[in-house]
Amino acid sequence: HPEDALLLFVEMLHAASACPPDQHTAACALKSCSRMCALDVGRGVQAYAVKRGLVADRFVLSSLIHMYASCGDVAAARLVFDAVEESGVVMWNAIVAAYLKNGDWMEVVEMFKGMLEVGVAFDEVTLVSVVTACGRIGDAKLGKWVAGHVDEEGLARNPKLATALMDMYAKCGEIGKARRLFDGMQSRDVVAWSAMISGYTQADQCREALGLFSEMQLARVEPNDVTMVSVLSACAVLGALETGKWVHSYVRRKRLSLTTILGTALVDFYAKCGCIDDAVEAFESMPVKNSWTWTALIKGMATNGRGREALELFSSMREAGIEPTDVTFIGVLMACSHSCLVEEGRRHFDSMARDYGIKPRVEHYGCMVDLLGRAGLVDEAYQ
């Protein structure tokens, strides 16, 4: 209840003469600001902490770094970190986590190398962040170094660290090592199962992904929305309509939140299985949609012979104020190609760079060649 925590903090400020907030109060107030992404309030707490001389406390400083990171201001988080004279592992972990939270994977790796250079001791929390970043950028060399350190120090019993290592191996293309690590885990929570299923899906081993999902059910581990996204992706590739429909019914039955990622996976699954009406229904049931959601349905309609509807959907997307991506235009051009809409295709192709600053890729040129070729304009297609 972060709102209640901040209201109590304000009450405490009014009674400051009798009971002034200390460093522990300030740290808790900053954590509440992090939960609520309340940047302005967080700055107010920081100002109070500076005035009261509480910012010398490492937990206040680390909470301050975390608050800025949670609110998306990593530059401010770094300024706080750089202003600290002696940074221990708590402070380093805070700034590493800040970069991790905002997807700055290379910065996470560079910060860890900086820790090694200055001789700051790292802990398991540090390693979870570093291994996660290694997986995202495909840095198998550093990932394996961390794995060796984990083995030497006997840290593999930490489930979060073991799961992060497993995910790293999967993302670096070493799915066999990921599975051996998974099989060696003493206890597996939903995060571990989801990571392994996701690893199989990303490695195009979709049958193995669905097989492991069946094992997960037998183990009576409740899947979450992350699990379902990977399972739906595997079902889409394999055309496993019945399994995907079961996932959709499970989401409804358990009243799982239809997040943007999960909803988009549902739309994509139904579209790839040729069930466009179901894809539209899933699309319309989503409370929030992003460009990837719109793109999934546009591409689905295009590949299922409903090109004009795909173009109408693209117009609705623009009216909704959603910016198209380069992938959106692949769907739009596919729609034009499948419906032999030459003029519309030319217009959308030209508008990519002119109106949206999107440089055409080989896939866009391929769609135009296909469109012009189908229309019998072979010379223009060749050019």
Side-chain angles (χ1 to χ4, degrees), residues 80-129:
V80 174
F81 175 80
D82 289 339
V84 180
E85 292 182 5
E86 292 185 16
S87 303
V89 66
V90 173
M91 219 66 60
W92 279 89
N93 281 348
I95 191 64
V96 167
Y99 283 122
L100 186 77
K101 187 175 181 65
N102 285 273
D104 296 330
W105 318 119
M106 285 301 301
E107 286 293 341
V108 173
V109 171
E110 290 305 314
M111 290 300 292
F112 181 62
K113 290 177 179 177
M115 288 181 78
L116 297 177
E117 286 175 11
V118 298
V120 176
F122 53 85
D123 59 14
E124 295 171 44
V125 176
T126 325
L127 295 180
V128 170
S129 296

Side-chain angles (χ1 to χ4, degrees), residues 69-237:
S70 298
C71 296
D73 195 346
V74 188
R78 183 60 187 264
L79 281 172
V80 174
F81 175 80
D82 289 339
V84 180
E85 292 182 5
E86 292 185 16
S87 303
V89 66
V90 173
M91 219 66 60
W92 279 89
N93 281 348
I95 191 64
V96 167
Y99 283 122
L100 186 77
K101 187 175 181 65
N102 285 273
D104 296 330
W105 318 119
M106 285 301 301
E107 286 293 341
V108 173
V109 171
E110 290 305 314
M111 290 300 292
F112 181 62
K113 290 177 179 177
M115 288 181 78
L116 297 177
E117 286 175 11
V118 298
V120 176
F122 53 85
D123 59 14
E124 295 171 44
V125 176
T126 325
L127 295 180
V128 170
S129 296
V130 174
V131 169
T132 302
C134 288
R136 295 303 176 97
I137 62 176
D139 190 344
K141 185 179 179 181
L142 180 58
K144 288 177 179 177
W145 183 89
V146 173
H149 176 82
V150 168
D151 285 338
E152 287 175 15
E153 300 296 322
L155 302 176
R157 290 186 299 275
N158 183 322
K160 286 187 178 180
L161 187 51
T163 302
L165 279 169
M166 183 182 66
D167 188 56
M168 180 274 296
Y169 277 128
K171 283 183 167 61
C172 290
E174 300 198 32
I175 199 74
K177 286 186 177 179
R179 184 57 193 261
R180 284 193 291 275
L181 198 57
F182 175 80
D183 289 339
M185 293 176 71
Q186 293 179 345
S187 62
R188 309 181 190 103
D189 60 6
V190 64
V191 179
W193 284 94
S194 299
M196 194 65 236
I197 291 169
S198 173
Y200 274 130
T201 304
Q202 291 170 10
D204 290 328
Q205 296 186 26
C206 296
R207 293 189 187 281
E208 288 79 359
L210 294 186
L212 192 62
F213 179 58
S214 297
E215 290 182 37
M216 181 181 181
Q217 291 172 284
L218 291 172
R220 299 189 180 280
V221 177
E222 287 280 316
N224 59 18
D225 58 334
V226 178
T227 323
M228 295 313 195
V229 168
S230 297
V231 172
L232 284 169
S233 298
C235 290
V237 171

